[in-house]
């Protein structure tokens, strides 16, 4: 899952 | 969501509250680096562009709070409390921070799209955005207690994200080396400050550099 950032953080 | 991330976000909110509280009650922004504050606004604006195309109640609300409060702090510093800001002690060269973050973002984004490059830029820029503030404290050799509480809360926020990333890695929902490396760098930059904060401020003494 490297580089798959769900962008669910602040 | 996990307890580390939630605690980190709460520390981030607390830091903003402390900062605005300090400025509005003392009617002064002395000791606060305008350059660091301007960098934070740039960080939030470039990272939270996805407000336009994604919505999640918790995240979207926090993003708006971070952008809004950051803009409000800059408004206070350039408007009502401008006379209390001394640019002569706020002299860190931020162009190197912005330039470095821009180069890293252009070289190693996850995808070469404008939103991804700006997101990566914001991650690197955030990791070093506190430097003008720390530099200012170092130059003056001392800081008001409330200012040290602000810097501590802001540092604790990213430090708490580290166990959050470990937790997310172990539960294999998330593995983003870029955020993690930048987050560790950010926490390391605070480490000297944390040490002096623990040994001096928490024992009721003034924050003074040795």
């Amino acid at each position: 899952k490297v580089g798959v950032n769900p962008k669910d953080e602040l | 969501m996990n307890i580390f991330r939630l605690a980190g976000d709460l520390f981030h909110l607390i830091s903003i509250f402390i900062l605005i509280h300090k400025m509005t009650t003392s009617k002064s922004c002395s000791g606060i680096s305008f350059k660091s504050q301007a960098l934070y606004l740039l960080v939030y604006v470039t990272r939270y562009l996805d407000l336009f195309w994604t919505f999640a109640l918790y995240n979207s609300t926090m993003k708006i709070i971070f952008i809004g409060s950051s803009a409000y702090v800059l408004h206070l510093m350039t408007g009502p409390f401008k006379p209390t800001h001394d640019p002569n002690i706020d002299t860190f060269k931020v162009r190197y921070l912005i330039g470095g973050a821009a180069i890293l973002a252009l070289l190693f984004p996850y995808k070469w799209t404008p939103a991804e490059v700006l997101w990566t830029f914001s991650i690197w820029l955030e990791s070093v955005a506190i430097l003008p503030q720390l530099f200012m404290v170092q130059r003056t050799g001392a800081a008001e207690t409330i200012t040290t509480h602000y810097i501590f809360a802001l540092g604790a926020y990213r430090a708490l994200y580290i166990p959050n990333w470990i937790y997310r890695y172990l539960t294999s929902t998330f593995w983003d080396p870029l955020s993690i490396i930048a987050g560790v760098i950010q926490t390391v930059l605070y480490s000297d400050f944390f040490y002096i904060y623990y040994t001096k401020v928490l024992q009721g003494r003034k924050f003074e550099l040795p």
Side-chain angles (χ1 to χ4, degrees):
Chain A
K1 281 193 183 144
V2 173
V4 182
N5 189 318
K7 305 275 194 294
D8 61 349
E9 290 181 343
L10 297 161
Chain B
M1 179 58 78
N2 59 61
I3 187 70
F4 304 111
R5 199 176 132 205
L6 184 64
D9 290 344
L10 288 178
F11 264 103
H12 196 176
L13 276 184
I14 290 167
S15 76
I16 291 167
F17 176 80
I18 293 173
L19 180 64
I20 293 177
H21 177 76
K22 174 219 160 15
M23 289 168 67
T24 51
T25 52
S26 67
K27 299 200 190 317
S28 160
C29 56
S30 71
I32 302 298
S33 165
F34 175 81
K35 290 183 173 179
S36 277
Q37 296 307 318
L39 290 181
Y40 282 118
L41 180 63
L42 186 58
V43 165
Y44 301 140
V45 169
T46 49
R47 187 176 310 164
Y48 299 151
L49 279 177
D50 65 350
L51 272 171
F52 290 111
W53 60 85
T54 51
F55 179 81
L57 185 62
Y58 175 83
N59 278 350
S60 301
T61 308
M62 295 290 251
K63 288 171 183 176
I64 291 167
I65 292 174
F66 293 153
I67 293 174
S69 58
S70 203
Y72 180 61
V73 166
L74 286 183
H75 159 73
L76 290 177
M77 294 188 86
T78 51
F81 306 148
K82 192 174 182 200
T84 61
H85 176 250
D86 183 3
N88 294 320
I89 53 168
D90 191 13
T91 52
F92 196 90
K93 298 273 185 291
V94 291
R95 73 187 83 132
Y96 299 114
L97 304 182
I98 295 174
I103 289 168
L104 285 171
L106 286 167
L107 290 178
F108 313 110
Y110 288 131
K111 277 184 237 155
W112 272 281
T113 61
E116 280 287 332
V117 170
L118 285 172
W119 181 86
T120 313
F121 169 76
S122 83
I123 292 288
W124 286 117
L125 188 62
E126 187 193 357
S127 73
V128 292
I130 196 63
L131 284 176
Q133 178 67 62
L134 292 177
F135 183 69
M136 196 167 165
V137 169
Q138 198 189 36
R139 269 197 79 166
T140 52
E144 288 175 64
T145 304
I146 187 103
T147 307
T148 64
H149 290 330
Y150 160 67
I151 301 172
F152 172 81
L154 195 58
Y157 136 69
R158 215 52 173 178
L160 280 161
Y161 262 65
I162 295 173
N164 153 63
W165 290 321
I166 294 169
Y167 176 88
R168 295 191 75 173
Y169 173 71
L170 294 176
T171 54
S172 62
T173 58
F174 183 84
W175 169 241
D176 170 13
L178 206 158
S179 291
I180 295 169
I181 294 166
V184 169
I185 291 173
Q186 187 170 345
T187 305
V188 168
L189 291 182
Y190 282 88
S191 54
D192 256 12
F193 172 86
F194 282 153
Y195 177 74
I196 300 171
Y197 182 82
Y198 278 125
T199 53
K200 289 208 167 174
V201 180
L202 289 187
Q203 288 166 17
R205 285 150 65 192
K206 273 192 71 175
F207 183 93
E208 271 174 21
L209 293 170

